[in-house]
C-alpha cells in the first residue's frame, strides 16, 4: 500500500502497472493478484478503508449539528480533525491523484448519507427543503475538512478555529 501511494503521488492511476508496483514493493505479481484484481481494485479498497476511517465519528458531529448544540459540535469536530493528522498525507494523495475527484465525490456522498439519516423528516411537503439542507450541510462539512487537510499547521488551536468558524 505504501508503494502504491508513492506511485500514485507520482503518476495517474492508469499509468501504474502491477509489474512495476510489485517490483518496487519487493513482492511477486502473483502475490499482488492474490489480494487484488488490479490497481483499480487496490485503489477502491484503499478508498473504502479511508471512508471507514473518515466516517468513524461522523454521526456525533452530524447529530450535534442537527440539534444545534454548538459546544458538542465544536468538541466532536476538533477531535475528528485531530484524528486526521496521522492520515493527512494519505488523504491529500487520495484527493490530488488522478481519481481524486472520485474520492471527493464518494466522501461527499458519505457525509450526505449521515446528514440524511439525521435529518429524516416524514412530512413530504418539505422533501425539497430537506434535500437542500442536507446538501448545504454536507458541502460545508466536506469543504471544512478539505481545507483542514491542506492547512500547513494541524494544531488543536487551529482545529478549534476551523470548528468555531464553521
Amino acid at each position: 500500500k505504501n508503494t502504491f501511494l508513492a506511485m500514485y503521488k507520482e503518476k495517474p492511476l492508469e499509468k501504474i502497472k502491477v509489474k512495476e508496483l510489485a517490483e518496487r514493493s519487493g513482492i511477486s505479481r502473483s502475490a499482488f493478484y492474490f489480494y487484488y484484481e488490479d490497481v483499480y481494485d487496490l485503489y477502491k479498497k484503499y478508498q473504502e478503508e479511508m471512508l471507514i476511517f473518515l466516517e468513524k465519528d461522523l454521526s456525533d458531529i452530524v447529530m450535534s449539528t442537527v440539534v444545534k448544540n454548538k459546544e458538542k459540535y465544536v468538541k466532536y469536530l476538533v477531535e475528528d480533525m485531530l484524528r486526521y493528522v496521522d492520515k493527512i498525507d494519505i488523504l491529500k494523495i487520495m484527493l490530488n491523484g488522478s481519481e481524486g475527484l472520485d474520492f471527493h465525490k464518494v466522501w461527499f456522498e458519505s457525509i450526505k448519507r449521515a446528514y440524511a439519516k439525521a435529518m429524516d423528516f416524514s412530512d413530504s411537503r418539505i422533501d425539497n427543503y430537506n434535500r437542500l439542507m442536507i446538501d448545504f450541510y454536507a458541502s460545508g462539512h466536506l469543504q471544512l475538512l478539505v481545507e483542514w487537510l491542506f492547512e500547513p499547521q494541524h494544531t488543536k488551536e487551529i482545529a478549534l478555529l476551523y470548528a468555531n468558524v464553521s
Side-chain angles (χ1 to χ4, degrees), residues 87-117:
K87 306 262 188 204
I88 284 177
D89 291 337
I90 296 168
L91 289 165
K92 282 180 176 179
I93 292 167
M94 299 285 287
L95 287 165
N96 282 332
S98 58
E99 301 291 315
L101 189 56
D102 181 51
F103 181 68
H104 192 275
K105 185 174 138 187
V106 169
W107 192 6
F108 177 64
E109 291 302 320
S110 168
I111 295 170
K112 273 178 60 172
R113 280 191 303 277
Y115 276 100
K117 186 177 177 183

Side-chain angles (χ1 to χ4, degrees), residues 113-163:
R113 280 191 303 277
Y115 276 100
K117 186 177 177 183
M119 299 173 75
D120 185 25
F121 301 110
S122 57
D123 189 342
S124 62
R125 292 174 293 163
I126 57 175
D127 279 346
N128 196 41
Y129 171 80
N130 188 22
R131 183 187 54 76
L132 291 171
M133 289 304 294
I134 290 166
D135 286 350
F136 173 78
Y137 281 116
S139 296
H141 188 104
L142 179 60
Q143 188 58 40
L144 172 86
L145 296 175
V146 170
E147 291 292 329
W148 165 254
L149 292 175
F150 290 93
E151 167 68 38
Q153 297 178 5
H154 298 99
T155 64
K156 185 174 184 175
E157 292 75 24
I158 303 269
L160 192 58
L161 174 68
Y162 271 75

